[in-house]
């Protein structure tokens, strides 16, 4: 039986691709590098859009990356049910690409903020959270400049009503995110985006905990090996 | 060749934290009489004459602004 | 279309640019030997200008004048410091050189750390630009040091930032500090480099002259080491990275306005000398360079930093065996009408220059295309020994490159201790300062010190820096040293720390510089690593002041002599002079960085009371009554005088050996070194870091409780060991000839000091964490 | 009450990294005929009638723009 293949996209300016790939491997899958300029998903079973500053985050975080050739494939794949995880800049890219509702704007404190935060799992049914239970708490790093989740009021209530808020900051959103939202999912539950970094919480030596690992394990369950 | 300006502003319902920071700083530099500051982006484009308004609007709405959170205006000079 | 009519032009402040270009060629220089030249405005002295004429046998062209003036500047030529810096080389023994693959004179020093790995590191100043434009100045400071590290063939793996500001409540500090911090974060975060440590120090002497020193560490396989030289006739010179613009050419714009002969006219006299950084381009450049190195496509490489192409071309040519021809018409520009002098002097950021064999040019270009990096062949290595630069078909530079890059002026500046001032400072000791005596006074003093600007939590700063990126950061602020894993399969890694208590240096520059070295060394040892090499950033006032030169020469000697005792070579560094407000110099600030190696980062010693409740708390090293230059004297009494603490580098070495050996065996559960604020502050920080209190008695530490708490004797470290290992460790310390006192044990939610009373962790945390946010605003909502 | 617009642009000799990034992205959305994009900031202020031009200029130059690297224009609407 061959391992599940999880693609990790690199854009110019992507930073956390090495960590995302490491997390994928630690979870027991094969990490497949994907290049922004290739319109080719190389047959992967799932995709991680990692963090960083794609294209310097110039114009708007994630805006330019969302137009890359690989993203057209990701959008098509997501429509077919391909599990897609966006972390930090990846979350911003998925919002800009229209795969997830809302947008991420400048932190309320207006500075870059690097902190360990506690998240609560609000939906353990998505492709990326089925290894958690609702109400689980994760200690993981948040590090972003434009991490404040915002959406139109009716979008927010729709998200609340349909249980699509996957992660919330337990102790209040340090960046001022609406409704304390740290991560959301699409209607089908295969696309998830979150601002904090589960890939930096997979080894207690270099991160605050190993609480992030279950995201990468979750996706193994949903994918036929 | 024509010069086109696109101004992009946060939608009223999105909290404009940058504008608010400027508002708070007004007192510090001793300026009074300014009751509100909102901050957005200003783009100056050089476009060839064949580019029509529709193209400019598409450019503004799909690249320069994010319609989920921003409004924009396009002005030919 | 909706929208407001664009400017019905009311008030404008738009810079106009000139578009005339004159070519001052070698031929025209020969034809007009007596044309007056603005060499003085470019910072050249009469005799320096005369020497240039003598070297060339004619007057220099504008472009040559621009090159010589910038390359012979203090910043590039080290003309005032050279004679002193030689001492570093003279005192480096063969034994110290054993692990050194590249040393002073290269872009950055390189040391071998075993298993085929090497590490390169360097600290550099960007003080003046950061005062003018804090965000961009600091950002481009990070960018510059990172390119130095890349130029050695290494992958940059971490950054750090020793910073100095005026008083925390000075109005300008509120302008400068937030801008500098966000500039460092903005650039470093975007590059994906974890920030693993630094310093934030407030002192009135930096009010008009903050210090922004930036440190970068890089890792490489020893076979990937690249040095900057251009050899091999016919090899191509490729400029790659960002385009070249008018940024940072402030000084040279004198030439344009002189040539146009019109001060009020459209010349470029008013151009700002600031550079704007583009970290995204630099991030891409890093990946591009690494791919080029690994593909073996690079013969020689040089970053473009201060002095831009002037520096890169002359240094590459000077270090190589042949000559070089460069055609400026090939340089991709982002401004119109740039003169040859401007192109050569531009300090546009994010550029590198490579020497590539002709058959590899296509492959080189393909890698650059993959990374969307602009790359252009701008010249080639030639026979002979001249650097020839052409522009618009004319030869504008024709010089022996060594005379530009390596044979600049050397000054023997007068060196004189200002005896009156220095003796008065020494005579004004801290002995008569009123001291807290009762337990409640002592308790209040501990809290006050925990909240002092120089001792309070730096989280307001470090929370703006990414420390997780790349997943190899094992320890970052707040820890004594940053610890970074280099090899995932073996766990091999490095530790790095920078330090300098400039008050000690002011009291005695020789001893003070050694104390800085000792502290950085100890911080590295406290993390469990073995100190290996040293870099420094020597920030001083004007070299034209004999007393400043005395401070400088003493500091250099102190560091060099200290390194000889510790066995750690100085592998590189940076000198920054003219740090002064008016005629008042900053405190002499030789920041020392120490790098150590740790075979297995899982064996690092965690910071603070990180073990379990009930661990024994031990103080290593002797405590004497040493309060001259202490943080207590400064914070409570605004006092600076007396003698700095004594320094004993043999003892530091024994202490370091003890920590490394015990650490590698897992005998220690936590550690923290003692420095500013003494034992009191170390206990507070250790407790807060571990989220665990302790019960201690200070009886065995010093003659009185105040001295035990606030003295800043060097050579001390707080460690914790499991209770059942305490006796063994005490014996081990004794055998290592390191004094040790058992203070008590960890546990509880308060720091219980028998002679003082209880300090709850919550109360301590509020004091320690409150100071910076209260002044600079909360980072989060 | 008057409405005032302040537009802030990077000085011509200063690298406009944002504008350049937008320039390069234009192809991605299939827009041609746009030869240059420069990006700056756009501020909308509500000011009372007593606020004179000099105050506006001071406000713009000390708070909204960084005169070392940016130029600005102030427009009363
Ligand atoms: N400007 C800065 N950038 C990054 N880290 C910093 C900075 N200033 C202080 N730190 C970190 O905060 C911690 C405490 O600093 P400091 O008290 O100077 O340490 P020490 O006395 O052990 O050298 C250290 O981890 C240090 O590296
Ligand atoms: Mg320390």
């Amino acid at each position: 039986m061959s391992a599940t293949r999880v693609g990790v996209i690199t854009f110019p300016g992507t930073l956390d691709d090495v960590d995302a790939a490491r997390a994928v491997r630690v979870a027991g899958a094969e990490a497949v590098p994907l290049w922004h300029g290739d319109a080719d998903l190389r047959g992967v079973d799932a995709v991680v859009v990692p963090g960083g500053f794609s294209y310097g985050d110039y114009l708007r975080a994630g805006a330019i990356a969302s137009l890359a050739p690989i993203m057209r494939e990701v959008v098509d794949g997501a429509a077919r049910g391909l599990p897609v995880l966006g972390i930090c800049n990846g979350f911003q890219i998925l919002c800009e690409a229209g795969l997830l509702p809302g947008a991420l704007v400048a932190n309320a404190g207006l500075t870059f903020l690097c902190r360990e935060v506690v998240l609560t799992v609000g939906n353990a049914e998505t492709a990326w959270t089925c290894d958690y239970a609702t109400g689980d708490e994760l200690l993981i790093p948040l590090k972003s400049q434009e991490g404040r989740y915002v959406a139109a009021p009716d979008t927010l209530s729709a998200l609340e009503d349909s249980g699509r808020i996957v992660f919330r900051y337990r102790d209040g959103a340090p960046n001022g995110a609406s409704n304390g939202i740290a991560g959301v999912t699409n209607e089908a539950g295969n696309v998830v985006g979150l601002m904090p970094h589960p890939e930096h919480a997979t080894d207690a030596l270099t991160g605050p905990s190993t609480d992030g690992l279950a995201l990468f394990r979750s996706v193994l369950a949903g994918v036929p090996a | 060749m024509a010069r086109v300006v696109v101004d992009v502003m946060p939608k009223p319902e999105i909290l404009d934290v940058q504008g608010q920071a400027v508002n708070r700083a007004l007192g510090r530099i001793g300026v009074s009489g300014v009751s509100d500051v909102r901050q957005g982006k200003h783009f100056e484009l050089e476009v060839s004459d064949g580019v029509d308004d529709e193209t400019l609007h598409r450019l503004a709405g799909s690249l320069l602004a994010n319609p989920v959170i921003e409004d924009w205006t396009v002005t030919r000079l | 279309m909706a929208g407001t009519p664009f400017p019905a032009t009311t008030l404008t402040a738009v810079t106009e640019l000139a578009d005339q270009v004159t070519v001052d060629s070698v031929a025209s220089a020969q034809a007009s030997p007596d044309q007056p030249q603005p060499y003085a405005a470019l910072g050249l002295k009469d005799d320096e200008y005369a020497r240039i004429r003598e070297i060339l046998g004619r007057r220099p062209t504008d472009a040559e004048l621009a090159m010589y003036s910038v390359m012979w500047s203090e910043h590039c030529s080290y003309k005032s410091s050279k004679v002193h810096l030689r001492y570093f080389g003279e005192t480096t023994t063969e034994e110290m050189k054993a692990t050194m693959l590249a040393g002073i004179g290269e872009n950055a020093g390189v040391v071998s750390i075993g298993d085929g790995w090497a590490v390169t590191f360097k600290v550099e100043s960007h003080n003046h630009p950061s005062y003018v434009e804090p965000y961009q100045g600091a950002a481009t400071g990070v960018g510059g040091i990172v390119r130095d590290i890349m130029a050695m063939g290494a992958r940059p793996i971490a950054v750090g930032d020793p910073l100095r500001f005026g008083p925390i409540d000075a109005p300008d500090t509120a302008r400068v500090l937030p801008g500098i911090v966000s500039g460092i974060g903005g650039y470093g975060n975007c590059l994906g480099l974890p920030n693993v440590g630094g310093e934030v120090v407030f002192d009135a002497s930096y009010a008009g002259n903050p210090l922004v020193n930036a440190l970068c560490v890089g890792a490489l396989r020893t076979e990937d080491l690249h040095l900057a030289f251009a050899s091999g006739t016919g090899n191509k010179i490729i400029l790659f990275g960002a385009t070249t613009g008018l940024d940072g050419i402030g000084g040279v714009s004198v030439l344009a306005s002189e040539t146009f002969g019109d001060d009020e006219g459209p010349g470029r006299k008013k151009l700002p000398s600031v550079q704007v950084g583009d970290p995204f381009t630099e991030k891409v450049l890093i990946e591009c360079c690494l791919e080029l190195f690994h593909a073996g496509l690079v013969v020689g490489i040089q970053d473009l930093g201060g002095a831009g192409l002037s520096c890169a071309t002359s240094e590459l040519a000077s270090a190589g065996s042949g000559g070089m021809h460069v055609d400026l018409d090939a340089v991709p520009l982002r401004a119109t009408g740039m003169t040859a002098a401007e192109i050569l002097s531009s300090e546009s950021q994010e550029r590198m220059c490579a020497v590539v064999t002709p058959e590899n040019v296509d492959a080189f270009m393909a890698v650059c295309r993959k990374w969307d990096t602009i790359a252009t062949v701008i010249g080639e290595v030639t026979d002979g020994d001249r650097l020839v630069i052409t522009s618009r078909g004319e030869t504008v530079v024709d010089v022996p490159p060594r005379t530009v890059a390596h044979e600049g002026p050397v000054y023997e500046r007068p060196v004189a201790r200002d005896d009156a001032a220095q003796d008065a400072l020494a005579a004004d000791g801290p002995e008569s300062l009123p001291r807290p005596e009762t337990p409640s006074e002592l308790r209040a003093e501990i809290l006050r010190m925990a909240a002092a600007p120089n001792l309070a939590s730096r989280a307001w700063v470090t929370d703006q820096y990414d420390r997780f990126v790349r997943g190899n950061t094992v320890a970052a602020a707040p820890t004594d040293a940053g610890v970074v894993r280099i090899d995932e399969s073996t766990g091999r890694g490095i530790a790095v720390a920078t330090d300098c208590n400039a008050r000690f240096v002011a009291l005695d520059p020789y001893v003070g510089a050694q104390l800085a070295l000792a502290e950085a060394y100890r911080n590295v040892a406290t993390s469990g690593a073995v100190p290996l090499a040293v870099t420094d950033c020597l920030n001083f006032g004007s070299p034209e002041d004999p007393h400043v030169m005395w401070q400088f020469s003493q500091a250099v000697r102190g560091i060099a002599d200290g390194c000889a005792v510790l066995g750690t070579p100085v592998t590189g560094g940076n000198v920054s002079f003219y740090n002064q407000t008016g005629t008042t110099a900053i405190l002499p600030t030789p920041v020392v960085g120490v790098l150590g190696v740790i075979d297995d980062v899982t064996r690092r010693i965690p910071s603070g009371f990180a073990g379990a409740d009930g661990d024994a708390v031990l103080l290593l090293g002797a405590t004497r009554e040493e309060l001259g230059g202490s943080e207590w004297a400064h914070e409570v009494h605004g006092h600076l005088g007396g003698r700095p603490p004594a320094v004993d580098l043999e003892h530091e070495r024994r202490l370091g050996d003890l920590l490394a050996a015990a650490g590698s065996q897992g005998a220690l559960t936590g550690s923290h070194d003692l420095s500013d604020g003494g034992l009191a502050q170390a206990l507070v920080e250790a407790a807060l870091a571990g989220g665990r209190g302790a019960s201690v008695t200070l009886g065995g530490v010093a003659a009185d409780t105040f001295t035990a708490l606030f003295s800043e004797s060097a050579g001390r470290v707080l460690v914790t060991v499991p209770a059942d290992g305490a006796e063994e460790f005490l014996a081990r310390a004794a055998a290592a000839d390191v004094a040790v006192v058992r203070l008590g044990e960890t546990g509880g939610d308060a720091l219980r000091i028998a002679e003082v009373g209880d300090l709850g962790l919550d109360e301590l945390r509020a004091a320690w964490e409150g100071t910076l946010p209260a002044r600079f605003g909360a980072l989060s909502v």
Side-chain angles (χ1 to χ4, degrees), chain C residues 161-188:
Chain C
D161 58 332
L163 308 175
R164 303 287 186 283
F165 302 99
I168 190 170
D169 48 8
D172 203 45
T173 302
R175 170 186 76 97
V176 166
L177 184 145
I180 285 172
V181 169
S182 63
I184 289 166
Y187 207 98

Side-chain angles (χ1 to χ4, degrees), chain C residues 479-481 499 519 523 672-675:
Chain C
T479 54
D480 291 310
D499 280 294
E519 188 182 345
N523 276 322
H672 189 31
D673 99 309
L674 273 66
S675 56

Side-chain angles (χ1 to χ4, degrees), chain C residues 1 11 52 55 57 107 214-215 262 269 459 514 564 692 702 741 743 762:
Chain C
M1 261 183 270
L11 312 159
I52 296 168
I55 290 168
N107 284 308
L215 167 91
D262 179 5
K269 204 160 191 171
Q514 292 202 332
R692 184 190 316 278
V741 188
L743 301 181
D762 289 346

Side-chain angles (χ1 to χ4, degrees), chain C residues 4 6-8 10-15 133 246 271-272 274 276 278 334:
Chain C
T4 59
F6 184 69
T10 35
L11 312 159
T12 61
V14 177
T15 315
E133 169 34 40
L246 288 167
L271 282 185
V274 282
V276 172
D278 176 4
R334 60 174 177 243

